[in-house]
Amino acid sequence: MSCRRSEALACSLVTEINHAMARLVDIWDSIGIMEKQRVERMQTVKKHIEELLHSMIMEEEALRHRIKTDVITFQKQLDTLCLELGLEPNKFEQDLTVLQLEKNLRCYVESLLKEKNERLRELGDLKKQDEDLCVTLCATPYYIPSGSVPSRTQLQELQEHVEKLVKEKVSRQKVFSGLREDIRSLMNEMGHEPESSLERESICPDTDIFLLTHDNIKALKLLLSQLEMKKESLISAREKLKERATSLWNRLSCPEPEGEAFREAAMSTLSDDIRRWQGYVEHLEELQMAQLEEVIDKVRQELVVMWEKCMLGPDQREPFSVHFCDDHYTEELLALHDTELLRMNAFYEAAQPILEDLEKWKRNWALFQEFERKAADPNRFSNRGGSLLKESKDRAKVQKLLPKLEEELRSRVEVWEKNQGTSFLVQGQRIMDYISSQWEEHRWQKDKEKNERMTKKTESSQFKTPTKRPLGSTYTTPTPNKIKKMPNMLAPRTAIMSSGCSGSSSTTFLCVPGKPQLSAKRTKTTEVSSGTRVPLQEFNSDKKPVPMSYSAFTSELSKKANADAFLNSTVKDML
């Protein structure tokens, strides 16, 4: 925008000069100035304009030279300041004009000079404080090379050093009013009697018994730390005794008077309180010894519950079975049971998300199997209230959900096994192997039921009396009067087996798994003695029969080629 504006001004300037020269020519014409004089006057105008422009150009050239010189100067100053301050030189854009570069360098140099002066001033203040504190505390001053500009890190470290010395000074001044009071208070709280000379001197009322030295202060701090650790140890021991007493009290189902100890106030010192709890625990342990068998049985019941929740198989329970069946009731046996119970609780807490997902899968697996069972029930087509349609939708929903649950389980188990470094077992199997075994068992059961149905139908065909039919005659299965077709009911499939033995033939109907039984819908089949199959026809109570195409029929038969071959051979053998 600025470039176009300057170009417009330049054009305007040229236009103004042209207008001015045109006016001069008009004036000269009106005056009657001759051509020679006119040229001289024009040369005078030209010279005047050229001198003015030349003067301006020289001034601008001087400005440009000064700016370039400043750029070089500022660049040198910038390099020096960056070196002194430990900073990386700033890289400016390559397409900057000289004026922009000079301005940026000047501003950056001014900011670095300000930074340098602030660091030097801060260094002077901190060094003075450091020297005074080091003289007071006999400490070593923080070293910064003289004549150099400190970095921000050095100033921060010097600041931390000065603060540390200030705290140390305050700490030494408060050593007698602080450390000795804390030591005395701890000893009284614990009921601890002084055992060393340092402990006796630390509680002595004489304030001049200690010299204000660094070693003496360290010794008092160490003593205080030791007493605090001893106090924590005593508190921990008391809490463990409380937990032990609580566990025994709950396990033994003690009467209310036995629980009075939980409501008694603490003794005057920790040592006295620990002795009281120790006596109570010993009393409860004596009661436990008298009821050891009952207590172990209770723990075993809890273990069985946890094993079931964690879905442990016999092989996983086997390592502990020796102790679980041990009837020699001892404290060691009880301790083993407690340890196993803690282990199982920890395992269940870690594996709970996986176990919950597996339980969800098992619930949907049970629904899937129930739907499979209903699908094989011929009475399911007696539905009159739309339950068959609902069952179909629920079945599709479960079939869609099972793969998702299995994939989620696989992902969770992989993460768990990677973190734990061991296999996640369910009933002694890896969880995906367990799921696969459930599917395999389901398929085996389906095959078994199918074979049983086929065997029954084969056996029933032995009692049928084969009938001879003249060549070209047809046999038609009777069609029931008006059978109402249910919504979404699939057309039944019929497999026809012919036997050429003694010119007789028999017809057997097979129900494909997952399809409606023949009791729900019948088909009309036409067959010739030569074994040529005529397309089947479906009948409706209100409609004309709709023929099935032969290609569709043969395609349907090809899906059951293996079953047909098996049945044909079986029927021939029996006939």
Side-chain angles (χ1 to χ4, degrees):
M1 181 67 182
S2 60
C3 182
R4 292 197 297 270
R5 188 175 180 183
S6 62
E7 290 176 358
L9 288 173
C11 293
S12 175
L13 178 62
V14 173
T15 302
E16 289 293 332
I17 292 175
N18 289 334
H19 288 169
M21 293 302 299
R23 288 192 63 189
L24 285 174
V25 170
D26 291 340
I27 293 172
W28 292 337
D29 287 341
S30 64
I31 295 175
I33 295 176
M34 303 301 294
E35 179 65 20
K36 182 178 180 181
Q37 295 175 337
R38 186 180 298 181
V39 170
E40 291 176 353
R41 289 175 182 272
M42 283 187 176
Q43 288 177 346
T44 301
V45 172
K46 177 183 177 185
K47 182 179 179 182
H48 181 71
I49 293 174
E50 287 178 347
E51 288 177 354
L52 177 61
L53 292 175
H54 180 71
S55 175
M56 295 178 65
I57 290 172
M58 292 301 293
E59 290 179 0
E60 297 301 320
E61 283 287 351
L63 175 62
R64 182 171 67 175
H65 178 72
R66 188 175 73 252
I67 292 174
K68 288 183 177 181
T69 303
D70 291 343
V71 167
I72 295 173
T73 303
F74 287 141
Q75 187 65 57
K76 291 181 180 179
Q77 292 181 1
L78 180 61
D79 294 341
T80 302
L81 287 170
C82 288
L83 183 63
E84 290 178 343
L85 299 175
L87 302 174
E88 290 291 333
N90 191 17
K91 295 182 179 180
F92 298 98
E93 299 177 4
Q94 297 294 331
D95 56 348
L96 293 177
T97 64
V98 177
L99 184 62
Q100 290 173 327
L101 181 60
E102 186 272 341
K103 180 181 178 181
N104 291 345
L105 286 171
R106 173 164 43 82
C107 294
Y108 194 35
V109 167
E110 289 175 356
S111 66
L112 292 184
L113 283 173
K114 182 179 179 181
E115 173 74 12
K116 178 181 177 180
N117 293 331
E118 288 180 355
R119 291 190 188 183
L120 292 175
R121 178 184 57 77
E122 187 175 351
L123 175 64
D125 295 341
L126 290 174
K127 286 190 72 173
K128 186 175 184 306
Q129 296 179 45
D130 185 37
E131 291 172 358
D132 294 341
L133 288 169
C134 288
V135 170
T136 303
L137 303 174
C138 298
T140 302
Y142 184 84
Y143 175 73
I144 293 181
S146 58
S148 63
V149 180
S151 64
R152 279 296 173 189
T153 302
Q154 289 176 319
L155 290 175
Q156 181 64 28
E157 291 175 352
L158 178 57
Q159 177 69 32
E160 292 174 356
H161 178 72
V162 169
E163 291 175 355
K164 182 179 179 181
L165 292 180
V166 170
K167 291 179 180 178
E168 179 68 16
K169 180 180 179 180
V170 172
S171 176
R172 293 188 186 186
Q173 289 173 344
K174 294 181 178 179
V175 63
F176 295 103
S177 59
L179 293 177
R180 294 182 66 185
E181 182 62 30
D182 292 341
I183 290 171
R184 186 182 298 109
S185 176
L186 281 174
M187 287 185 175
N188 293 334
E189 185 178 355
M190 293 185 295
H192 176 73
E193 294 295 332
E195 298 175 353
S196 64
S197 59
L198 180 61
E199 291 180 356
R200 287 190 290 271
E201 291 170 357
S202 63
I203 61 175
C204 179
D206 187 0
T207 57
D208 297 330
I209 195 170
F210 275 102
L211 296 176
L212 190 58
T213 64
H214 189 68
D215 291 339
N216 285 340
I217 294 175
K218 286 176 63 177
L220 287 175
K221 288 183 177 180
L222 179 60
L223 175 59
L224 178 61
S225 176
Q226 291 173 346
L227 292 173
E228 287 175 344
M229 290 176 63
K230 186 173 182 179
K231 176 186 175 182
E232 291 178 0
S233 177
L234 292 174
I235 292 175
S236 177
R238 183 182 64 180
E239 293 304 316
K240 288 180 179 179
L241 288 171
K242 282 185 178 181
E243 291 176 3
R244 176 64 174 164
T246 303
S247 175
L248 290 170
W249 189 66
N250 293 332
R251 181 174 291 173
L252 296 172
S253 302
C254 293
E256 185 61 25
E258 293 288 343
E260 292 296 331
F262 292 99
R263 290 182 286 272
E264 290 183 6
M267 303 297 287
S268 57
T269 65
L270 279 173
S271 299
D272 294 339
D273 209 25
I274 287 174
R275 283 191 291 268
R276 179 175 68 88
W277 280 105
Q278 182 65 43
Y280 186 60
V281 167
E282 291 175 356
H283 169 66
L284 291 176
E285 285 177 345
E286 291 176 359
L287 294 177
Q288 179 178 256
M289 288 300 297
Q291 306 177 28
L292 201 55
E293 180 176 353
E294 181 182 347
V295 171
I296 293 177
D297 286 340
K298 286 184 179 179
V299 179
R300 285 175 175 173
Q301 293 173 10
E302 295 177 19
L303 263 178
V304 171
V305 172
M306 289 305 302
W307 284 342
E308 293 297 330
K309 289 176 68 174
C310 297
M311 299 186 68
L312 265 62
D315 292 341
Q316 295 170 275
R317 305 182 190 188
E318 179 64 26
F320 194 76
S321 62
V322 177
H323 307 300
F324 193 85
C325 299
D326 189 357
D327 57 358
H328 183 59
Y329 300 100
T330 62
E331 290 187 33
E332 291 76 11
L333 183 63
L334 177 60
L336 290 171
H337 281 70
D338 285 337
T339 302
E340 178 67 9
L341 185 59
L342 289 174
R343 187 183 72 84
M344 291 310 305
N345 284 328
F347 173 80
Y348 180 77
E349 184 177 352
Q352 187 173 4
I354 298 177
L355 293 171
E356 289 177 351
D357 283 354
L358 181 59
E359 188 63 30
K360 185 177 180 181
W361 179 89
K362 289 173 68 177
R363 289 196 301 270
N364 284 275
W365 175 249
L367 287 175
F368 171 76
Q369 290 180 310
E370 178 65 16
F371 287 136
E372 290 285 290
R373 184 190 63 78
K374 290 181 179 180
D377 184 4
N379 296 324
R380 64 197 293 264
F381 295 103
S382 60
N383 164 61
R384 291 295 183 270
S387 61
L388 192 62
L389 178 60
K390 182 179 183 302
E391 177 186 324
S392 177
K393 292 181 178 179
D394 292 342
R395 177 191 177 105
K397 182 178 179 182
V398 170
Q399 287 177 332
K400 186 177 180 181
L401 181 60
L402 279 174
K404 292 183 179 180
L405 293 175
E406 291 170 10
E407 187 59 33
E408 290 177 4
L409 272 171
R410 186 191 304 276
S411 300
R412 283 186 181 273
V413 169
E414 287 177 355
V415 173
W416 192 91
E417 291 182 345
K418 182 178 180 180
N419 295 336
Q420 300 293 330
T422 183
S423 300
F424 191 97
L425 302 180
V426 171
Q427 300 297 338
Q429 294 178 295
R430 296 189 68 175
I431 195 165
M432 299 314 298
D433 294 340
Y434 169 78
I435 292 176
S436 298
S437 67
Q438 295 295 308
W439 278 105
E440 186 62 31
E441 182 180 352
H442 173 71
R443 284 191 289 268
W444 177 84
Q445 185 65 29
K446 293 289 289 182
D447 291 342
K448 179 182 176 183
E449 293 174 358
K450 179 180 178 181
N451 292 335
E452 289 177 352
R453 289 194 302 269
M454 293 169 64
T455 302
K456 289 180 179 179
K457 290 180 180 181
T458 303
E459 292 175 352
S460 64
S461 66
Q462 295 177 354
F463 300 98
K464 292 183 179 180
T465 303
T467 58
K468 294 184 179 180
R469 291 171 292 170
L471 183 62
S473 64
T474 59
Y475 173 76
T476 305
T477 57
T479 303
N481 298 328
K482 293 186 179 180
I483 297 179
K484 187 176 180 181
K485 296 180 71 173
M486 302 306 296
N488 298 331
M489 183 176 291
L490 300 176
R493 299 178 182 178
T494 306
I496 304 173
M497 298 186 300
S498 300
S499 175
C501 181
S502 303
S504 63
S505 63
S506 63
T507 302
T508 303
F509 298 94
L510 300 179
C511 179
V512 179
K515 303 297 181 179
Q517 302 294 325
L518 291 175
S519 60
K521 184 188 292 186
R522 296 185 180 273
T523 58
K524 185 174 182 180
T525 307
T526 304
E527 180 183 89
V528 296
S529 60
S530 62
T532 304
R533 295 186 173 100
V534 180
L536 304 179
Q537 293 181 341
E538 278 190 352
F539 286 88
N540 219 337
S541 59
D542 302 320
K543 297 182 180 179
K544 295 181 179 180
V546 180
M548 176 188 288
S549 67
Y550 182 77
S551 60
F553 177 70
T554 54
S555 174
E556 188 67 32
L557 287 180
S558 65
K559 297 179 182 178
K560 302 185 299 171
N562 293 334
D564 288 344
F566 170 77
L567 291 174
N568 285 334
S569 61
T570 304
V571 173
K572 287 179 180 181
D573 291 341
M574 291 188 296
L575 292 176

